[in-house]
């Protein structure tokens, strides 16, 4: 994919966006005077925490414009789909749901439909929307999200679909209003984009080059969250281990963890994702030293075969990965490890797949996200000749998942009668009469308890381990 034009974003733009927010607010007030109805919006988010965070920004901007959130598309004046294209099924879901909006809009012709996010960074997707989804009013991308107020004002004055997608990222923009969905647990982006270009992955093309936020901006945001009731913060980036490389200040991810560990009132600090090629000894030391940093690392290995890892451009070997795991386990006792695995990457033989199973057997992960390789147009792996057939991919996938489930079940069984510390989050999703929380290792625990425990760190004895969660009782 070609990359052109460097877009400069200045503080003037941000002031301008404030003016557009104000203009929309005035417009909505006038509409309210006429109709006595507050304008409603819904943001539907697909994909990862990057998109979740962008949706919080969209919600923040909309609420400053006087919009109110609804969970019903039918009654909404504005529907935004924030899309993901990491695998084909993510895209198909968006197309399906976008198609369904056509009928809803027939009954509500004034409804504005906007689509944004990673899918829009692919020219062929924008073309498909222009041709087949003409009920869409606005298309924008990941790099100009801060311009949304201006685009929305322009949509109001435009008869045709408005499309504004920037091919390349600008500077990081701080200070966009945002609405936080989580009280107790919050997510904080410490960097954007990715420089790794794993050959299967679309993210570097949709999110641009890696940029790290300044330490001071992150510290201010986390402090602010803690002052507003957050107890646990997860630091986000496609590869947090390379944090700081784009900053003038000489600072590493380990330094950032040590800095955030000083924040009073913060109970737990998590992070994801860690790329194995950048796991330094200093970072392992920081995880071990910092009492707030939880004993859990999401550490994707993707494939066990050195041949496949090379073709994936992951820049580590199976042996490097296993060595890093050993170091982590030695320095951080009780660390739980989770990972991502892709099966059916082009050229993967039965022998290569057995290497993946071997890593699973050796490391014994606490949880694994398993994916069937999905061709992403524009990535190098899409052009590779030896694509694996669907039947083989599914057969390997099923074998992998059943082995992973066995191991996870065994690990959970080992928790029988153990005492764990959990942060109580709220009612259990599976049994509303119970409460739920997570251990520092990120294990889900359900238990009977009083609602006054929500937000507290509580000691629990595990009385019944299950395959994917643990049942426990409060220790008084
Ligand atoms: N930056 C993170 C992951 C981002 S995408 C990391 O490097 O770990 C989340 C996961 O989706 C990846 O870890 C990978 O396992 C999976 N994935 C990405 N592209 C894929 C593709 N084309 N097909 C199948 N799985 C894919
Ligand atoms: Fe994709 Fe690799 Fe970057 Fe993760 S590190 S986002 S898998 S290119
Ligand atoms: Fe995330 Fe999907 Fe984009 S995984 S970065 S929303 S392609």
């Amino acid at each position: 994919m070609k990359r052109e034009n460097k877009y400069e974003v200045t503080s003037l733009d941000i002031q301008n966006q404030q003016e557009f927010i104000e203009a929309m607010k005035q417009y909505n007030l006038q509409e309210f005077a006429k109709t006595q109805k507050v304008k409603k919006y819904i943001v539907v988010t697909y994909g990862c925490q990057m998109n979740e965070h962008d949706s919080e920004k969209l919600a923040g901007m909309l609420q400053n414009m006087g919009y109110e959130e609804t969970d019903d598309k039918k009654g909404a004046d504005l529907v935004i789909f924030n899309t993901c294209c990491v695998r084909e099924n993510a895209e198909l879901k968006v197309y399906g749901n976008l198609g369904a909006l056509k009928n809803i809009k027939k009954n509500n012709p004034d409804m504005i439909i906007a689509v944004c996010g990673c899918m829009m960074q692919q020219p062929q997707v924008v073309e498909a929307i222009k041709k087949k989804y003409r009920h869409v009013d606005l298309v924008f991308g990941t790099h100009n999200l801060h311009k949304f107020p201006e685009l929305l004002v322009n949509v109001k004055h435009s008869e045709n679909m408005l499309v504004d997608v920037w091919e390349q990222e600008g500077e990081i923009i701080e200070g966009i209003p945002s609405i936080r969905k989580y009280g107790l647990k919050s997510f904080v982006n410490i960097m954007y984009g990715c420089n790794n270009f794993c050959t299967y992955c679309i993210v570097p093309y949709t999110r641009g080059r890696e940029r790290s936020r300044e330490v001071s901006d992150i510290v201010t945001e986390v402090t602010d969250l803690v002052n507003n009731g957050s107890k646990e913060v997860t630091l986000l980036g496609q590869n947090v281990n390379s944090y700081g490389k784009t900053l003038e200040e000489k600072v590493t991810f380990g330094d950032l963890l040590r800095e955030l560990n000083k924040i009073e009132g913060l109970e737990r600090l998590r992070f994801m994702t860690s790329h194995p090629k950048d796991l330094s000894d200093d970072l392992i030391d920081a995880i071990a030293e910092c009492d707030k940093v939880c004993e859990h690392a999401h550490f994707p290995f993707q494939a066990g075969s050195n041949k496949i890892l090379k073709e994936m451009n992951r820049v580590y070997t199976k042996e490097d990965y296993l060595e890093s795991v050993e170091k982590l386990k030695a320095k951080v006792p009780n660390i739980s490890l989770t990972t991502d695995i892709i099966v059916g990457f082009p050229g993967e033989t039965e022998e290569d797949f057995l290497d993946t199973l071997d890593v699973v057997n050796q490391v014994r992960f606490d949880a694994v996200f398993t994916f069937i390789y999905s061709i992403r147009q524009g990535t190098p792996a899409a052009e590779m000749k030896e694509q694996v057939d669907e039947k083989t991919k599914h057969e390997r996938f099923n074998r992998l998942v059943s082995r992973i489930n066995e191991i996870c079940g065994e690990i959970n069984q080992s928790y029988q009668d153990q005492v764990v510390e959990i942060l109580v989050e709220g009612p259990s999703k599976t049994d509303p009469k119970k409460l739920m929380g997570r251990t520092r290792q990120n294990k889900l625990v359900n238990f009977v308890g009083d609602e006054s425990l929500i937000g507290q760190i509580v000691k629990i004895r595990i009385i019944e381990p299950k395959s994917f969660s643990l049942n426990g009782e409060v220790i008084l």
Side-chain angles (χ1 to χ4, degrees):
M1 284 181 204
K2 79 177 181 331
R3 298 167 54 77
E4 295 171 342
N5 332 340
K6 178 82 188 160
Y7 297 93
E8 291 290 337
V9 182
T10 64
S11 55
L12 189 70
D13 286 303
I14 303 176
Q15 273 172 22
N16 278 343
Q17 294 310 317
Q18 283 303 339
E19 285 166 22
F20 287 110
I21 288 179
E22 195 51 40
M24 277 306 295
K25 190 173 165 189
Q26 292 308 325
Y27 170 80
N28 283 337
L29 280 172
Q30 284 165 18
E31 287 286 296
F32 181 74
K34 277 193 248 161
T35 61
Q36 299 299 306
K37 278 194 198 140
V38 180
K39 295 268 179 205
K40 299 271 190 339
Y41 76 90
I42 176 167
V43 182
V44 183
T45 312
Y46 303 84
C48 69
Q49 290 295 341
M50 297 290 152
N51 268 11
E52 291 285 349
H53 190 53
D54 282 350
S55 291
E56 287 176 348
K57 291 184 190 155
L58 289 169
M61 292 190 261
L62 285 165
Q63 298 206 7
N64 283 4
M65 292 179 210
Y67 279 89
E68 241 175 38
E69 191 176 18
T70 174
D71 52 11
D72 178 19
K73 290 192 200 102
K74 288 198 187 90
D77 301 283
L78 172 65
V79 179
I80 306 180
F81 278 6
N82 191 5
T83 64
C84 169
C85 52
V86 74
R87 287 170 292 276
E88 192 186 14
N89 50 11
E91 284 195 349
L92 294 177
K93 219 190 303 173
V94 170
Y95 283 129
N97 292 344
L98 206 49
L101 272 188
K102 196 170 181 179
N103 278 335
I104 298 180
K105 188 163 174 166
K106 267 193 197 136
N107 296 326
N108 180 8
D110 288 337
M111 173 190 271
I112 294 176
I113 300 176
V115 278
C116 62
C118 291
M119 267 172 86
M120 303 308 127
Q121 293 301 135
Q122 305 175 99
Q124 79 275 13
V125 170
V126 175
E127 282 315 305
I129 289 185
K130 279 187 191 160
K131 272 203 203 108
K132 296 189 210 145
Y133 299 87
R134 298 165 74 129
H135 54 297
V136 168
D137 302 286
L138 170 63
V139 174
F140 60 103
T142 57
H143 302 314
N144 61 343
L145 183 106
H146 65 283
K147 260 190 80 183
F148 171 65
E150 179 178 349
L151 296 171
L152 189 60
V153 168
N154 290 342
V155 166
K156 291 256 168 220
H157 299 290
S158 164
E159 287 286 298
N160 300 319
M161 187 188 299
L162 186 66
V163 179
D164 189 6
V165 178
W166 293 4
E167 269 183 43
Q168 205 173 335
E169 69 282 0
E171 302 167 9
I172 292 179
I173 305 190
E174 297 288 349
I176 299 178
S178 112
I179 298 290
R180 294 275 170 179
K181 283 242 167 86
Y182 307 101
L184 282 174
K185 297 206 311 184
S186 301
F187 295 86
V188 172
N189 278 84
I190 61 166
M191 56 210 295
Y192 299 94
C194 183
N195 283 356
N196 293 313
F197 290 94
C198 303
T199 54
Y200 50 81
C201 185
I202 195 79
V203 173
Y205 307 96
T206 66
R207 291 272 162 184
R209 291 300 60 72
E210 185 179 295
R211 290 96 69 208
S212 295
R213 289 177 71 195
E214 299 287 341
V215 175
S216 56
D217 287 325
I218 299 169
V219 171
T220 306
E221 185 174 346
V222 174
T223 309
D224 199 44
L225 286 164
V226 171
N227 290 341
N228 282 293
S230 280
K231 301 269 179 190
E232 177 178 307
V233 167
T234 304
L235 308 174
L236 295 175
Q238 299 298 347
N239 174 16
V240 292
N241 298 1
S242 71
Y243 172 80
K245 286 196 179 149
T246 60
L247 294 175
E248 264 173 42
E249 185 186 355
K250 214 175 152 291
V251 59
T252 65
F253 184 51
D255 299 334
L256 180 69
L257 286 179
R258 291 184 179 100
E259 204 52 42
L260 295 173
N261 197 55
K262 295 180 194 154
I263 296 177
E264 233 171 278
L266 177 66
E267 299 276 358
R268 290 174 166 190
L269 202 47
R270 300 186 188 276
F271 55 89
M272 66 190 289
T273 297
S274 286
H275 195 304
K277 79 178 165 65
D278 294 312
L279 186 82
S280 65
D281 289 343
D282 176 60
L283 175 55
I284 300 178
D285 287 342
I287 301 171
E289 265 165 46
C290 297
D291 59 335
K292 293 180 175 144
V293 175
C294 291
E295 294 77 16
H296 169 221
H298 186 62
F299 199 42
F301 81 92
Q302 312 294 359
S305 142
N306 287 339
K307 178 192 91 190
I308 297 293
L309 284 170
K310 191 151 185 260
E311 292 287 308
M312 285 179 162
N313 191 30
R314 290 291 289 181
V315 207
Y316 53 84
T317 61
K318 176 184 175 187
E319 294 71 28
D320 296 334
Y321 183 84
L322 292 171
E323 195 186 315
S324 296
V325 165
E326 280 318 306
K327 276 192 195 164
L328 271 169
K329 285 185 172 174
K331 286 236 167 132
V332 190
N334 298 329
I335 193 165
S336 77
L337 293 171
T338 55
T339 200
D340 293 349
I341 300 176
I342 299 176
V343 289
F345 184 83
E348 184 190 76
T349 61
E350 174 65 17
E351 203 186 346
D352 295 323
F353 173 69
L354 290 177
D355 270 325
T356 296
L357 269 182
D358 185 42
V359 175
V360 164
N361 284 324
Q362 288 200 48
V363 180
R364 296 180 65 80
F365 295 98
D366 285 78
V368 183
F369 297 93
T370 40
F371 305 106
I372 292 180
Y373 171 68
S374 167
I375 295 178
R376 302 289 69 207
Q377 205 180 318
T379 62
E383 310 297 323
M384 292 179 184
K385 297 243 156 30
E386 294 172 66
Q387 297 289 335
V388 179
D389 65 87
E390 290 301 316
K391 192 167 160 266
T392 309
K393 281 193 212 174
H394 281 90
E395 182 264 328
R396 286 181 191 156
F397 181 81
N398 293 340
R399 271 159 69 200
L400 181 66
V401 170
S402 65
R403 182 62 194 130
I404 288 165
N405 290 349
E406 267 171 26
I407 295 174
C408 295
E410 285 163 20
I411 294 177
N412 280 3
Q413 279 305 323
S414 70
Y415 275 88
Q416 178 74 45
D417 298 327
Q418 277 198 31
V419 174
V420 295
E421 207 180 75
I422 66 163
L423 171 63
V424 184
E425 291 177 28
S428 156
K429 294 212 172 73
T430 45
D431 181 354
K433 288 196 286 302
K434 288 186 179 168
L435 293 177
M436 61 75 67
R438 285 184 184 268
T439 67
R440 289 175 63 94
Q441 283 78 10
N442 215 28
K443 290 265 173 225
L444 178 67
V445 179
N446 292 309
F447 66 102
V448 178
D450 191 80
E451 280 195 3
S452 61
L453 295 176
I454 295 172
Q456 293 190 35
I457 305 272
V458 173
K459 282 205 161 51
I460 300 272
R461 177 178 294 108
I462 302 305
I463 49 177
E464 187 193 10
K466 301 200 151 194
S467 306
F468 301 106
S469 64
L470 306 167
N471 283 345
E473 62 187 8
V474 183
I475 296 183
L476 296 171

